[in-house]
Amino acid sequence: MAKVGAPPYYKNKKQMQEDIDAYFKDCEGRPMLDDDGNVLTDKHGEPVCYPAKPPTITGLALALGFTSRQALLNYQAKEEFVDTVTRAKSRVEEFAEQMLYSPGAANGAKFNQTNNFEGWTEKQQIDGNLNVFKLEELL
């Protein structure tokens, strides 16, 4: 029987982990340099950085060379890569969880959590015990 599908992109989890680490490092942003190559600092002496980008599952998938978010999730089913991919997804989830406490970012973070990670749901409780009164009783 002939094999179907593309050959595996990663041969081992070490190679994948190196690319995952590079993706998260890239998400941190990088310091701005002056014309002489010195790191620019703010008034507190902290480096001024190019804007960081939020880590996402799709961004991670593309950085790893996959064609889609789903392709990365499919890789998670491979025994050798399950922990590596799960840990990377947890790093993305942790970032989104932190954003729940950021003004103006909570709704997007909530949407991300409920749609991309198991165990996150927005629940509404409806009380099924309704008190019905006749109009005559109220008057």
Side-chain angles (χ1 to χ4, degrees):
M1 179 190 262
K3 289 188 177 183
V4 178
Y9 190 76
Y10 285 99
K11 302 221 185 291
N12 61 63
K13 62 184 179 182
K14 182 178 185 274
Q15 178 189 15
M16 180 183 249
Q17 187 62 56
E18 288 172 0
D19 288 350
I20 289 170
D21 292 340
Y23 170 73
F24 284 106
K25 182 71 175 164
D26 186 48
C27 287
E28 293 174 5
R30 56 189 189 285
M32 291 183 175
L33 305 177
D34 64 17
D35 292 336
D36 296 325
N38 300 312
V39 175
L40 294 173
T41 57
D42 64 14
K43 65 182 180 181
H44 304 291
E46 296 295 320
V48 176
C49 294
Y50 288 101
K53 63 180 181 181
T56 64
I57 299 297
T58 303
L60 175 63
L62 294 172
L64 295 178
F66 293 104
T67 57
S68 68
R69 172 183 173 279
Q70 189 59 52
L72 172 63
L73 299 180
N74 293 344
Y75 231 75
Q76 188 177 14
K78 296 176 183 252
E79 187 176 340
E80 181 180 357
F81 298 98
V82 66
D83 288 339
T84 305
V85 174
T86 300
R87 190 170 30 268
K89 285 175 52 184
S90 292
R91 289 175 72 178
V92 173
E93 181 179 13
E94 190 252 351
F95 175 84
E97 190 173 341
Q98 289 178 358
M99 296 307 295
L100 291 169
Y101 299 98
S102 298
N107 284 337
K110 218 164 49 168
F111 175 83
N112 183 39
Q113 296 296 72
T114 57
N115 288 287
N116 288 317
F117 301 100
E118 291 182 31
W120 291 88
T121 59
E122 192 167 344
K123 296 179 183 177
Q124 291 183 352
Q125 286 188 325
I126 299 173
D127 185 357
N129 299 322
L130 298 175
N131 293 322
V132 179
F133 297 98
K134 292 182 180 178
L135 184 58
E136 303 86 46
E137 294 175 359
L138 296 174
L139 300 175

